[in-house]
Amino acid sequence: SRTVTYHAEGYVAEISKNHLYRGMDMSEILNFTPGTSSLNGLTAYGESISKVYLNGRELKMGKNELLEYLKTIKGEDVKKMEVIIASGVEEDAESAGKSILKISTVNPETGGVLMVGGSAGIRKYSHIYLGMVNVDWRINEKWGMYLKSSIAEASDKNGTAMETHYYYTDVRRISESTQNTDRNNYSGGLGIVYEPDKKNRFIMDGSFIRTPTSMYGDSYLRQLQGTENIDFNKGKLANDRTFDRLDFSLIYTHTFNSKSQLEVKVDRLENKIDLSEWKDYLYYDDSTNNYQTQNAEENLLYTLGVDYNQSFKSLNGKLSAGVKAAWLTNKNDLDYAVSQNGIADDRLSYVDDYKYTENIYALYAKYNFSVKPFSFTIGTRMEYSDISPKSFINSERNRDNHYWDFFPQLSIGYSLNAQKGHNMSLGYGKGIRRPSMADLNPLVRQTDDYNFRMGNPSLSSSHRHNYSLTTTWFNKYILRVNYGHSDNLIRGIGRNEGNVIYHMMVNGGKSSSVSVYASAPVTLGKWGNLSLNVWYSHSKNEYEDDCKYSNSLSWGVSGMFRLPMGINMTVNYSQSLPDKSLYTEMI
């Protein structure tokens, strides 16, 4: 209670001032700070943490790699950690309402840390091995560097079995499939820190990731009418895929004085993806089909951001403002070939040469201030989007999109009883979900004699409104209720026109959800501590006359026990009950 300070958007935990954390790493600490957990991925107040910042730079890693990296950061090296429950207007609008973690470590004058580690996870049908090396070193007063590198190898085998009964008939379909996947991950990064004086700091950061993956499997489908076989097929499928990413960023920070600071960020991100695969099928009448896909994709993203922060004595206020621009280019080449009984089928085969560009320009301003016992956050963000999907195969369906959006933010915190640690906060934020580049692709392709599949370049974005109530009792017991509503969501539909079915994405869906999160720490005296967490969600999804409800429930407990000889033992357990939703009738 003496090391956590709550505000309208979350809280700040002074890690270095809490002796409990000194023998833990950051992945363990997250299981004992209010509302956070690393049991099933990184979560805050029951929701996934979307971004993690370390000393101002975003850690751009995969989920497993990020969790392993946090294990190399020890509690005695962490100064403070800020948990933002719902990100505000300073982040891009697609991240609005998602949780963010900001970690600040102690800055040694010289020296640093070298961490070498590894982990292994073995289950009945899968395994993963990972090795990591991390270096964080302060050379002198002006220069510092950090280096990270990891190698991971994983393999798993899974299968599915499903039986479908068709209404108003005695026809049923039985399908089974198995899949074997081998994945490797090679990643590394190098950063250089240069501080010519106390007012200026430069961080140059470069990283790469290479992930080759191979998959092979079998499938079997049987269709019966009563007890009689009326159709079946056997299939074999395989793919070899690679993902390569190169990222370079430069962060410049200028501190005018103790109350004002300017930060400039420049980033270049490039990735190349190979999604090639093939499938072979043998049918009931001894005919065969072969499907081969060659798919190469390239993405190039440039971002430029400028942020300014100014503190004011009056009202304990702080102004944050900034501008950001992002330029994305995607190029996708696809060659899809089908052959029946060894003969090429030109009717179902197709090629696609698709280029997608997305330019987003943003301007934001936010003001935090407090009038005891209240604290306030008021902000707004304005974004201009310029989106251009271009197919060189179906060029007549190309269409550009240009639009403005405004995203307000409001948070109010109230200290019910400062001495006892009772706090309450209300929050509202607005976010956006833009259609994916694949949904916008205007390509029209025939999948069989009766079905066509096409993208929809006329799709528009949807918005989500988030409302939250968060209460904290005795500085440690948490209860949070969140309500979200989205309209104009994108849904996939099929329309029958003259015995031909057109499958495409359209706007018009609606979604609403209510989630409840509760957390309670338990002190076991000299024996240690426990942390209990429960999360429940109820959602409703609608499109025209179709309406579905679903529910999910999960809970977990983390324990830290003090053993003789100064040894600490941590124990984690979590469980997610199966999601339950209304039965769907397909006719």
Side-chain angles (χ1 to χ4, degrees):
S1 61
R2 293 185 297 272
T3 59
V4 177
T5 303
Y6 291 90
H7 54 74
E9 297 178 281
Y11 66 85
V12 176
E14 302 288 343
I15 302 299
S16 59
K17 295 182 180 180
N18 193 323
H19 67 88
L20 171 68
Y21 302 139
R22 297 193 65 82
M24 299 184 183
D25 60 54
M26 272 308 305
S27 68
E28 295 172 320
I29 290 173
L30 287 170
N31 293 322
F32 295 96
T33 46
T36 57
S37 173
S38 64
L39 296 183
N40 292 309
L42 301 179
T43 60
Y45 290 69
E47 305 286 348
S48 296
I49 295 175
S50 63
K51 296 180 181 179
V52 178
Y53 292 91
L54 177 62
N55 296 328
R57 61 184 174 91
E58 183 180 353
L59 299 179
K60 300 174 183 178
M61 305 177 185
K63 293 181 179 179
N64 292 332
E65 184 189 6
L66 177 58
L67 187 59
E68 292 299 321
Y69 183 74
L70 292 178
K71 291 179 181 179
T72 67
I73 303 175
K74 299 303 179 183
E76 56 264 31
D77 298 324
V78 179
K79 183 178 180 181
K80 65 179 181 178
M81 178 183 73
E82 183 176 12
V83 177
I84 300 175
I85 305 173
S87 58
V89 295
E90 68 275 18
E91 298 287 338
D92 57 275
E94 287 193 298
S95 300
K98 298 180 180 179
S99 300
I100 292 178
L101 201 63
K102 296 183 178 181
I103 303 169
S104 299
T105 59
V106 177
N107 189 13
E109 294 182 1
T110 58
V113 62
L114 164 66
M115 295 294 300
V116 179
S119 64
I122 301 174
R123 299 183 179 181
K124 186 175 182 180
Y125 296 110
S126 66
H127 70 262
I128 180 170
Y129 307 117
L130 185 142
M132 296 189 71
V133 176
N134 291 295
V135 179
D136 197 341
W137 207 264
R138 188 74 180 185
I139 302 171
N140 52 43
E141 292 182 356
K142 294 184 177 182
W143 292 92
M145 59 86 68
Y146 53 87
L147 172 70
K148 62 178 186 288
S149 178
S150 69
I151 299 177
E153 187 271 328
S155 177
D156 61 74
K157 178 180 180 180
N158 58 63
T160 60
M162 182 170 63
E163 185 168 330
T164 305
H165 294 255
Y166 291 88
Y167 271 88
Y168 314 121
T169 71
D170 60 349
V171 176
R172 57 195 176 100
R173 174 179 292 187
I174 300 173
S175 61
E176 298 178 2
S177 66
T178 59
Q179 181 174 298
N180 300 272
T181 305
D182 296 313
R183 300 184 306 275
N184 295 296
N185 182 286
Y186 311 98
S187 68
L190 173 65
I192 298 174
V193 180
Y194 175 57
E195 295 178 308
D197 51 53
K198 293 183 178 181
K199 290 190 174 183
N200 297 283
R201 182 177 66 175
F202 296 87
I203 298 178
M204 292 162 282
D205 183 276
S207 63
F208 78 91
I209 293 177
R210 179 171 177 80
T211 308
T213 303
S214 63
M215 185 274 292
Y216 59 94
D218 299 284
S219 66
Y220 179 77
L221 183 146
R222 186 160 55 109
Q223 191 157 305
L224 302 95
Q225 186 163 16
T227 58
E228 181 182 354
N229 280 322
I230 58 175
D231 193 13
F232 84 90
N233 70 62
K234 297 179 180 179
K236 290 184 176 295
L237 60 154
N239 65 51
D240 289 299
R241 300 180 174 182
T242 58
F243 173 84
D244 295 310
R245 189 187 79 184
L246 290 172
D247 184 21
F248 176 79
S249 62
L250 173 64
I251 304 174
Y252 167 65
T253 305
H254 178 74
T255 302
F256 297 97
N257 50 53
S258 61
K259 297 180 181 179
S260 59
Q261 188 180 76
L262 177 72
E263 186 173 75
V264 181
K265 294 182 180 180
V266 181
D267 191 85
R268 181 189 184 275
L269 175 66
E270 178 183 9
N271 62 51
K272 297 181 180 181
I273 309 170
D274 183 0
L275 300 173
S276 300
E277 66 178 12
W278 61 265
K279 301 177 183 178
D280 281 327
Y281 290 96
L282 172 65
Y283 296 95
Y284 188 67
D285 57 0
D286 292 330
S287 62
T288 61
N289 271 10
N290 173 264
Y291 305 88
Q292 292 191 15
T293 303
Q294 292 182 337
N295 190 191
E297 180 177 318
E298 296 181 10
N299 294 280
L300 185 60
L301 174 65
Y302 290 95
T303 59
L304 170 64
V306 180
D307 298 282
Y308 176 75
N309 295 286
Q310 175 72 53
S311 299
F312 300 94
K313 259 190 175 182
S314 60
L315 301 179
N316 293 318
K318 179 182 177 182
L319 172 67
S320 302
V323 295
K324 184 178 181 180
W327 302 274
L328 170 67
T329 302
N330 168 273
K331 192 175 185 302
N332 193 305
D333 295 320
L334 174 65
D335 188 344
Y336 182 74
V338 179
S339 61
Q340 296 182 343
N341 298 318
I343 302 174
D345 188 338
D346 296 332
R347 179 177 56 88
L348 298 180
S349 303
Y350 61 89
V351 294
D352 186 26
D353 187 3
Y354 179 48
K355 186 176 181 180
Y356 172 90
T357 59
E358 177 182 287
N359 304 321
I360 298 176
Y361 307 92
L363 174 68
Y364 82 90
K366 184 175 78 170
Y367 189 62
N368 302 79
F369 65 99
S370 61
V371 180
K372 292 185 177 181
F374 292 95
S375 61
F376 300 88
T377 298
I378 301 174
T380 185
R381 184 182 184 91
M382 179 175 62
E383 287 191 352
Y384 174 72
S385 304
D386 179 9
I387 297 175
S388 177
K390 282 185 169 39
S391 171
F392 294 89
I393 307 301
N394 294 103
S395 58
E396 70 281 355
R397 299 185 69 234
N398 290 337
R399 177 180 173 180
D400 295 342
N401 292 286
H402 315 275
Y403 49 87
W404 291 90
D405 278 301
F406 294 89
F407 304 94
Q409 177 194 3
L410 175 64
S411 301
I412 303 174
Y414 176 57
S415 178
L416 298 170
N417 189 314
Q419 292 183 342
K420 292 185 177 180
H422 303 337
N423 302 280
M424 179 179 68
S425 65
L426 293 168
Y428 165 75
K430 178 185 175 183
I432 191 173
R433 179 186 174 189
R434 297 181 178 89
S436 70
M437 59 184 73
D439 292 339
L440 290 169
N441 188 352
L443 178 72
V444 180
R445 62 186 188 272
Q446 186 175 3
T447 56
D448 57 37
D449 290 336
Y450 305 102
N451 290 273
F452 285 81
R453 190 172 296 275
M454 64 185 70
N456 184 0
S458 299
L459 290 174
S460 58
S461 58
S462 61
H463 297 93
R464 182 170 179 84
H465 304 270
N466 292 294
Y467 306 84
S468 64
L469 169 64
T470 307
T471 60
T472 307
W473 306 96
F474 300 101
N475 267 329
K476 55 183 179 179
Y477 302 110
I478 296 173
L479 177 64
R480 175 177 167 85
V481 180
N482 189 82
Y483 171 76
H485 174 74
S486 300
D487 51 20
N488 204 39
L489 287 173
I490 298 171
R491 292 287 183 262
I493 65 168
R495 287 179 176 161
N496 194 331
E497 298 181 12
N499 292 325
V500 174
I501 299 177
Y502 293 88
H503 299 270
M504 65 184 302
M505 309 300 286
V506 298
N507 290 108
K510 295 181 180 179
S511 174
S512 59
S513 64
V514 176
S515 62
V516 180
Y517 173 83
S519 174
V522 179
T523 301
L524 303 177
K526 64 179 182 179
W527 300 107
N529 302 272
L530 292 176
S531 179
L532 307 174
N533 302 278
V534 180
W535 183 81
Y536 170 78
S537 174
H538 173 78
S539 62
K540 175 184 178 182
N541 291 279
E542 300 176 84
Y543 180 75
E544 294 182 345
D545 296 330
D546 187 24
C547 179
K548 299 186 182 72
Y549 297 87
S550 62
N551 302 278
S552 59
L553 174 66
S554 61
W555 66 280
V557 57
S558 298
M560 194 283 289
F561 302 96
R562 299 182 182 91
L563 303 180
M565 301 176 62
I567 297 174
N568 291 336
M569 179 179 68
T570 59
V571 179
N572 300 314
Y573 176 82
S574 66
Q575 182 178 22
S576 296
L577 300 182
D579 293 352
K580 296 183 179 181
S581 59
L582 288 186
Y583 190 83
T584 302
E585 179 177 325
M586 300 177 65
I587 299 177

